[in-house]
Amino acid sequence: MDTSEAISATAVASLAERRLDWRHKAIPAAANGITHAEFLAAKPTLAALQTPLLTLDAQALQGNADHLAKWCADKGVLLAPHGKTTMSPQLWTEQLNRGAWGITLANFAQLRVARGFGVRNLQLANSLTDPHAIQWVAEQDSTILSWVDSVDTVALIERTLAGTDSVLDVLVELGAHGGRTGARGVDAALEVARAVDAAEHLRLVGVAGYEGSLAHTADDAGLAAVRGYLAKMRLLHEELLAAGLYGSGSVIITAGGSAYFDDVVTVLSPCLSTTAEAAPTVSHSLKVDLMIRSGAYIIHDDGFYRGISPFSRAGNQPFSPGMYGWARVVSQPEPGLALLDAGKRDLPFDEGLPEPQFIGSTLGGAMEPLVGAEITSVNDQHSFLTFNPDTTTVRPGDVVRLGLSHPCTAFDKWTVIPVLADSTPGGDQTVVDLIHTFF
């Protein structure tokens, strides 16, 4: 791999030579044994596929990727998208090609996937506590940032790397009561930072946090909780600066999922102008970057993120939903009830049930809006569609297009996901790409 590459173009391109077969439930039986490239060369359309099915929309993916990349550039902040949303090196490439600093991941297995595809800059939004993971990270010839939130974690890494000359770059993670990981409070985080400063095998390069675990709404209470937490992150950075605890001349402050990244930038951007001259005890200037880690934005949705995304809330150009489910009616056992052939094994349901949008007699054929219908529950392999039998006719074999909520729990159900040129009924529904995932 060319060390100047953000991700190995060769490794990503090799996916086109993968053979398709029964392991890929989105691929029709007629395509068994041919390669990804051969499948696309035949210019298949949605009609060539089968249900249950998850598809992506090419226009939405490109527009969403461009939108956030431009916003970050205009704001002067870095973007390290959370790659666990898609676990797709092809989509990571799209993000990196638009200027992303690197890719954020959640665990050791995901790091290995990213390094397998040659991703150069990585952030583990977690603490390294598995000795195998610690040793592996220490052996890599790439930038891998990780987080620490306790003195015990610092001691564990020190023990694991004893006798080596390895030094890992870490960020101290600030948490909050009732949140997820992270030192509980600024004082506790400072204690961790002092332990890092005294450590032989660690270097403190920033502050990390995740505001999304503290709120799930964009009402006044939710936004107040987020902003209060971010203010504490800023205070922690200022305390670390004053105490001279940063071990590098370049510092990263990172927060920001896909729900509150605007507040992250508003509250933490003043840190970008902070230099060591503001702290007399520090003798050198620091370059301070702010990094957001939004991951779901490139896919977006018709549910949770549609409602809470900053671009939706602010009335700006919103992201576009980039994924849809397609399910077929397998039973219509009583008036007003139909069972679809897609369930929990196929579609996300944790942040809202699928949303019926269109219905037609064939996949890829003419469809009409499905008004007044609702998915009321999902089983492993079925969805319960309720409708008004006086105004709507639903027959076995009909196909329903479903809007979905939460891409993070959609992609993990599919090893290959077709990308349509246009998901709109009546639009150009040619399959223009196949996205491979590695969960």
Side-chain angles (χ1 to χ4, degrees):
M1 171 188 168
D2 180 350
T3 56
S4 66
E5 287 186 304
I7 188 170
S8 171
T10 300
V12 174
S14 71
L15 293 172
E17 301 309 312
R18 285 196 157 206
R19 295 205 171 271
L20 307 173
D21 57 30
W22 50 265
R23 292 170 295 181
H24 309 113
K25 67 180 181 178
I27 302 302
N32 188 67
I34 68 174
T35 67
H36 164 137
E38 290 167 340
F39 181 73
L40 295 181
K43 299 187 181 304
T45 66
L46 176 63
L49 306 178
Q50 72 280 301
T51 59
L53 180 65
L54 176 72
T55 64
L56 305 179
D57 186 280
Q59 295 182 61
L61 300 186
Q62 179 177 331
N64 293 343
D66 289 343
H67 192 6
L68 191 60
K70 183 179 185 303
W71 188 87
C72 288
D74 290 346
K75 298 292 184 181
V77 301
L78 302 178
L79 173 63
H82 211 321
K84 59 92 176 173
T85 296
T86 65
M87 286 306 293
S88 169
Q90 294 155 282
L91 295 178
W92 297 346
T93 298
E94 294 299 316
Q95 295 167 311
L96 292 165
N97 285 347
R98 288 167 171 80
W101 169 90
I103 298 296
T104 300
L105 294 163
N107 58 39
F108 181 27
Q110 293 173 5
L111 284 178
R112 292 179 63 198
V113 172
R115 285 301 297 140
F117 281 90
V119 179
R120 188 176 71 241
N121 290 338
L122 293 164
Q123 176 175 207
L124 177 69
N126 224 324
S127 294
L128 286 167
T129 57
D130 182 331
H132 297 291
I134 295 167
Q135 292 167 350
W136 182 89
V137 168
E139 294 166 357
Q140 299 305 301
D141 60 354
S142 60
T143 298
I144 302 180
L145 309 178
S146 64
W147 301 357
V148 288
D149 69 355
S150 75
V151 172
D152 288 341
T153 300
V154 172
L156 171 60
I157 296 173
E158 282 289 282
R159 290 195 303 273
T160 303
L161 296 179
T164 74
D165 58 2
S166 299
V167 177
L168 304 187
D169 287 338
V170 297
L171 297 86
V172 60
E173 181 191 3
L174 180 67
H177 180 72
R180 201 163 61 187
T181 55
R184 293 311 200 238
V186 172
D187 289 343
L190 286 169
E191 182 182 4
V192 176
R194 285 190 285 268
V196 172
D197 185 55
E200 179 182 356
H201 299 288
L202 295 173
R203 178 173 59 174
L204 186 65
V205 299
V207 173
Y210 178 54
E211 74 292 341
S213 65
L214 304 177
H216 210 65
T217 63
D219 58 15
D220 289 345
L223 293 177
V226 166
R227 293 164 184 168
Y229 167 74
L230 294 170
K232 291 179 182 177
M233 281 190 67
R234 178 178 173 181
L235 175 61
L236 173 59
H237 163 68
E238 292 168 349
E239 294 281 353
L240 293 171
L241 193 66
L245 290 173
Y246 287 124
S248 170
S250 181
V251 168
I252 290 174
I253 303 173
T254 179
S258 295
Y260 306 106
F261 58 79
D262 57 336
D263 290 293
V264 168
V265 172
T266 297
V267 176
L268 295 178
S269 280
C271 298
L272 299 180
S273 60
T274 302
T275 65
E277 281 77 19
T281 58
V282 182
S283 60
H284 61 280
S285 297
L286 291 178
K287 178 180 183 295
V288 180
D289 283 311
L290 176 58
M291 176 188 290
I292 65 171
R293 305 187 305 275
S294 307
Y297 77 95
I298 192 170
I299 307 301
H300 198 53
D301 68 10
D302 274 311
F304 175 69
Y305 287 112
R306 178 178 62 187
I308 204 169
S309 166
F311 293 157
S312 298
R313 290 188 276 114
N316 297 328
Q317 175 191 349
F319 292 124
S320 299
M323 64 176 182
Y324 295 99
W326 307 82
R328 199 177 302 271
V329 177
V330 292
S331 178
Q332 207 272 290
E334 58 189 65
L337 174 66
L339 279 297
L340 308 182
D341 65 352
K344 294 179 181 179
R345 301 289 179 88
D346 311 296
L347 305 175
F349 58 91
D350 58 310
E351 291 288 359
L353 295 175
E355 175 185 279
Q357 296 177 335
F358 292 92
I359 188 168
S361 61
T362 60
L363 183 64
M367 305 191 90
E368 59 184 33
L370 187 50
V371 179
E374 182 182 6
I375 299 295
T376 56
S377 64
V378 289
N379 293 159
D380 286 354
Q381 310 289 178
H382 296 93
S383 293
F384 289 71
L385 174 73
T386 61
F387 59 94
N388 183 347
D390 295 330
T391 59
T392 303
T393 299
V394 177
R395 298 183 178 90
D398 285 351
V399 175
V400 177
R401 194 189 86 171
L402 300 161
L404 305 175
S405 179
H406 202 200
C408 300
T409 50
F411 272 59
D412 63 328
K413 297 170 174 56
W414 299 85
T415 53
V416 169
I417 308 173
V419 182
L420 304 182
D422 184 354
S423 302
T424 306
D428 178 6
Q429 296 180 333
T430 302
V431 179
V432 295
D433 204 356
L434 297 174
I435 294 300
H436 298 259
T437 68
F438 296 86
F439 284 91

